[in-house]
Amino acid sequence: LKPFDSGDIKILLLENISQAAVDILNKEGYQVEAHSKSLPEDVLIEKIRDVHCIGIRSKTKLTRKVLAEAKKLLVIGCFCIGTNQVDLEAAARQGIAVFNSPFSNSRSVAELVIGEIIFLSRQLGDRNIEMHQGIWNKLSVKCFEIRGKILGIVGYGHIGSQLSVLAESMGMTVYFYDIIQMMPLGTAKQVGTLHELLERADFVTLHVPETEDTKNMIGDAEISKMKKGSYLINASRGTVVQIPALIKGLQSEHLLGAAIDVYPREPRSNGQNFNDELNPWTTELLNCKNLILSPHIGGSTEEAQAMIGIEVATALFKYINYGTSIGAVNFPEIDLRAIQDTEKNSIRVLFSHQNVPGVLKEINQILSDHNVEKQYSDSRGEIAYMMADISDVDEHDIRKIYDTISSSKANILTRIVY
């Protein structure tokens, strides 16, 4: 099953997407243009007008304004966990499916957090800085083993649960809090409230998505609930922790240390861009003791980026070539068995439309003169998506089917692949 001509499909990849993804998309015969950085909005708008697919990471913002210019765009690939950099509703209303990779870098983030727990408990960050300055400062005061300590995990998804297993293997006791009742791994125990977790844990680590409920989740009240002499780690989203409250907790030594990988506002490119112009509290944060700061690298390992590249690129070409939307975050998820080589003169109709009464009746009337081999439809909110395989059609039939379906009042986007 092939689209009209795969060589006509234009792909734009930004932010140094893994070569594994580039190789997969090149192999499909698409025109692939790759850039190592994000693009300024005006340049992005100019580029996006002419592409069928765009792949991004976390720095590129696909806003409603940008998407309004994307007249040919079929699909967006977020080569990362989060999708908050994309206006998902605007994309869906234009018939643009969005895919991400929610699990491929889970191990990388979990391993980073284990490393940070050890670094914080031994104050290795500060000792390292001192040694680079030629300062010999051998001490054991407020330096601890992690064995026997309590780890509190907020968010027990793929990252949180992997972290739980690693921490237990190093002798830690694990408690977790999640808004969903979860099956614990090992001997981990779920607690009923966030405050109960904060009061119990020696180390609190955050692994939640960015939602209205998690925005500013950790502030003055929550930090004051934490044990005196405890530690806070955030490798989730920058809006989850109120940084001024964290600074206050570190300065008062209520917290003995913290590790932060994500920030409310992050630089668009590498360089000396992490400053007070970006976030007004930056200098004050940098002066805090036993604080590990990293530039959003939780999932930035060679292994994770290769896995993400393979997962998202595969989802993109399956959607472009076959219409498969399994794994889309803003779109109905449907799939059908591929048309076989033996099924001659067959086409696949892909129909994105408004989820209103009577549409399928209208479409089935259009297809009633043809042999519908298989058909599947589903909806998600205001958007519905239908996939149908039609056999024994000629070029005249294909044109007629396309013109009639795409003229439906509910039509968002009609494609036919064969």
Side-chain angles (χ1 to χ4, degrees):
L1 185 66
K2 292 289 183 184
F4 24 93
D5 185 350
S6 58
D8 291 336
I9 299 295
K10 295 182 179 181
I11 313 284
L12 177 63
L13 301 178
L14 304 177
E15 301 182 66
N16 202 27
I17 300 298
S18 168
Q19 187 61 40
V22 178
D23 292 343
I24 288 172
L25 298 172
N26 275 326
K27 186 178 179 181
E28 289 301 310
Y30 306 142
Q31 300 177 47
V32 181
E33 179 183 346
H35 295 262
S36 62
K37 299 180 180 179
S38 61
L39 300 176
E41 186 180 70
D42 58 337
V43 178
L44 177 62
I45 286 175
E46 188 65 32
K47 289 277 188 185
I48 207 169
R49 287 175 178 149
D50 196 40
V51 299
H52 303 91
C53 167
I54 184 170
I56 63 173
R57 294 177 70 184
S58 57
K59 290 186 175 67
T60 300
K61 308 301 180 186
L62 297 181
T63 61
R64 189 183 305 266
K65 175 183 176 182
V66 172
L67 292 174
E69 302 293 329
K71 305 301 183 184
K72 297 180 181 179
L73 196 64
L74 302 175
V75 61
I76 297 167
C78 295
F79 288 77
C80 51
I81 294 178
T83 56
N84 55 297
Q85 68 275 41
V86 180
D87 189 322
L88 297 177
E89 291 185 6
R93 284 196 292 270
Q94 292 178 224
I96 302 168
V98 180
F99 295 88
N100 69 334
S101 180
F103 313 130
S104 291
N105 66 3
S106 301
R107 178 70 181 199
S108 298
V109 178
E111 287 188 3
L112 178 70
V113 172
I114 287 292
E116 289 177 335
I117 290 171
I118 295 171
F119 261 57
L120 291 173
S121 65
R122 299 295 298 274
Q123 300 182 23
L124 284 177
D126 287 358
R127 299 296 85 76
N128 177 63
I129 292 171
E130 290 164 357
M131 287 295 289
H132 278 274
Q133 296 171 342
I135 300 171
W136 184 272
N137 189 18
K138 182 178 179 180
L139 51 82
S140 60
V141 177
K142 297 182 180 179
C143 293
F144 308 98
E145 294 181 357
I146 69 169
R147 179 180 54 174
K149 302 302 187 295
I150 296 173
L151 175 63
I153 301 173
V154 182
Y156 202 68
H158 285 262
I159 296 172
S161 56
Q162 282 206 40
L163 175 60
S164 173
V165 173
L166 293 175
E168 277 199 9
S169 71
M170 301 188 75
M172 301 189 79
T173 299
V174 177
Y175 290 90
F176 67 91
Y177 169 72
D178 200 293
I179 58 173
I180 300 171
Q181 190 66 32
M182 305 292 285
M183 177 66 74
L185 299 180
T187 61
K189 296 179 177 64
Q190 185 165 5
V191 299
T193 67
L194 175 61
H195 280 186
E196 182 181 351
L197 182 89
L198 298 176
E199 290 170 351
R200 284 177 179 262
D202 299 302
F203 295 84
V204 174
T205 180
L206 309 172
H207 303 284
V208 295
E210 183 177 64
T211 67
E212 285 302 313
D213 291 332
T214 64
K215 189 174 183 181
N216 297 321
M217 173 187 279
I218 304 298
D220 287 319
E222 289 72 26
I223 290 175
S224 67
K225 284 283 184 182
M226 293 174 65
K227 284 183 179 180
K228 182 173 176 56
S230 58
Y231 306 83
L232 178 65
I233 299 170
N234 185 20
S236 59
R237 289 290 175 259
T239 57
V240 174
V241 174
Q242 299 175 39
I243 300 297
L246 173 65
I247 293 170
K248 189 186 302 182
L250 290 168
Q251 289 175 339
S252 68
E253 296 190 0
H254 182 77
L255 296 179
L256 274 189
I260 305 295
D261 187 50
V262 289
Y263 309 88
R265 296 181 63 195
E266 298 180 354
R268 290 176 56 87
S269 60
N270 291 344
Q272 293 184 318
N273 302 315
F274 191 66
N275 51 43
D276 288 338
E277 291 183 12
L278 188 69
N279 295 295
W281 34 253
T282 301
T283 298
E284 198 173 8
L285 182 69
L286 296 178
N287 289 327
C288 291
K289 293 181 180 179
N290 203 21
L291 173 64
I292 300 171
L293 300 176
S294 52
H296 203 150
I297 56 171
S300 297
T301 61
E302 295 282 353
E303 295 88 348
Q305 292 308 307
M307 286 292 293
I308 290 170
I310 292 169
E311 181 180 0
V312 179
T314 300
L316 295 179
F317 90 72
K318 283 186 175 180
Y319 184 75
I320 294 169
N321 287 17
Y322 311 118
T324 300
S325 59
I326 301 298
V329 298
N330 69 328
F331 216 68
E333 297 183 69
I334 65 174
D335 191 19
L336 287 177
R337 173 180 55 83
I339 295 175
Q340 305 301 308
D341 291 339
T342 55
E343 300 176 72
K344 303 299 182 183
N345 301 320
S346 294
I347 62 171
R348 174 165 290 179
V349 179
L350 306 170
F351 178 49
S352 305
H353 58 92
Q354 298 169 20
N355 185 21
V356 294
V359 178
L360 287 183
K361 178 180 179 181
E362 177 188 1
I363 300 306
N364 286 329
Q365 286 176 339
I366 294 170
L367 300 178
S368 61
D369 293 333
H370 302 280
N371 185 26
V372 180
E373 296 282 354
K374 44 192 182 291
Q375 183 176 0
Y376 189 10
S377 178
D378 198 4
S379 62
R380 183 169 182 163
E382 299 178 356
I383 308 300
Y385 184 42
M386 185 206 74
M387 184 184 294
D389 289 351
I390 318 297
S391 62
D392 300 321
V393 292
D394 55 27
E395 290 187 11
H396 174 74
D397 293 326
I398 294 172
R399 172 51 61 183
K400 183 178 178 181
I401 290 171
Y402 176 81
D403 288 344
T404 310
I405 291 179
S406 59
S407 65
S408 166
K409 290 183 179 179
N411 176 69
I412 295 174
L413 178 67
T414 299
R415 289 199 296 143
I416 293 182
V417 293
Y418 53 90

